[in-house]
Amino acid sequence: MPDGRLTDARLATRAIAHLAVIGLVAFTAAIGIAAAHGQSPGSGDLGLNLVSPARGAAPTPAPLVAYTYVFSPQVGRALAEPDPLRMPQPHLAPTPKPTPFPLKKATPFPAPTIAPQIGFVQQPPVTVGAPVGPPPPDSGGTLTWPVAGGSISQYFSAGHLAIDIAAPAGNTVVAADAGVVTSAGWRNNGGGLVVEIAHPYGISTVYNHLGSIWVGAGQKVARSEGIAVVGCTGICTGPHVHFEVIVGGMLVNPLRYL
């Protein structure tokens, strides 16, 4: 029995081999016949070089023809769509914070300066207060009339703390009493050329809008001595003398002492 089984297996193997050879020969013969009749062999997916040994029925034997089958990959295959989760994400740079612009501290403007005027002598301000020193005479005639040939054009009032004595330009202006000249020159307060004289008993007299000055500061003058001439300097509308009387630092009505 074992020998019989082995013999049957060998017979089956040989039968399969013979059938394979017969099938291959038949396939080759079919291709050769198709070529002999002018038919193009179909291209397959496998690259095979086959030789057809088949011969036609014609008296002239058909030449051997070799065919090449080339394996071609599939064309037009759709590419795989990219995965959006795997695509590189754009890198956004952080926006830098704005740098604050430095503010400069404002430089204060310097205080304005006033150029001194030629001949101007700065005088201390007149303050209103109680008279100091011995009281002056309380009756008229203490002071002499300061402008020869002049007349009053404006009287003393709350808004005009002096009297204006109008006279022709060039008339002589005299000292109302003996004393010492404390200032003589230009004043930029509107008085123009001004002379101020200090008298006894704390009295001072001031002569404004003069045309010219004949005395200087520190000079002693006598009563009725000529010190200037009538003019219209400073803020002025016509030739006159703006005559002021100061008693104890307070402007008073000059008519009380003339």
Side-chain angles (χ1 to χ4, degrees), residues 87-119:
M87 293 179 62
Q89 298 297 326
H91 177 69
L92 299 178
T95 303
K97 294 183 179 179
T99 303
F101 184 76
L103 298 178
K104 295 183 180 181
K105 294 183 179 179
T107 303
F109 289 100
T113 57
I114 301 175
Q117 301 290 335
I118 298 176

Side-chain angles (χ1 to χ4, degrees), residues 62-246:
L64 298 177
V65 180
Y67 297 96
T68 303
Y69 296 90
V70 181
F71 175 79
S72 300
Q74 185 176 359
V75 181
R77 179 179 297 176
L79 298 177
E81 295 183 358
D83 189 356
L85 299 179
R86 295 185 180 180
M87 293 179 62
Q89 298 297 326
H91 177 69
L92 299 178
T95 303
K97 294 183 179 179
T99 303
F101 184 76
L103 298 178
K104 295 183 180 181
K105 294 183 179 179
T107 303
F109 289 100
T113 57
I114 301 175
Q117 301 290 335
I118 298 176
F120 170 71
V121 179
Q122 183 68 35
Q123 298 297 323
V126 177
T127 58
V128 178
V132 295
D138 53 1
S139 61
T142 302
L143 301 176
T144 189
W145 191 254
V147 181
S151 60
I152 299 176
S153 59
Q154 187 172 358
Y155 287 88
F156 181 90
S157 65
H160 186 257
L161 303 179
I163 60 172
D164 287 346
I165 303 174
N171 280 19
T172 302
V173 179
V174 300
D177 198 0
V180 178
V181 178
T182 57
S183 68
W186 182 271
R187 292 187 182 180
N188 60 359
N189 60 353
L193 291 176
V194 179
V195 172
E196 183 173 353
I197 302 174
H199 307 288
Y201 304 109
I203 300 176
S204 294
T205 54
V206 184
Y207 312 80
N208 298 269
H209 307 304
L210 303 173
S212 62
I213 297 175
W214 296 349
V215 295
Q219 180 180 341
K220 293 182 180 181
V221 294
R223 184 183 178 94
S224 299
E225 179 182 348
I227 59 173
V229 297
V230 177
C232 188
T233 57
I235 302 176
C236 176
T237 58
H240 73 284
V241 174
H242 183 84
F243 182 63
E244 300 173 342
V245 175
I246 302 173

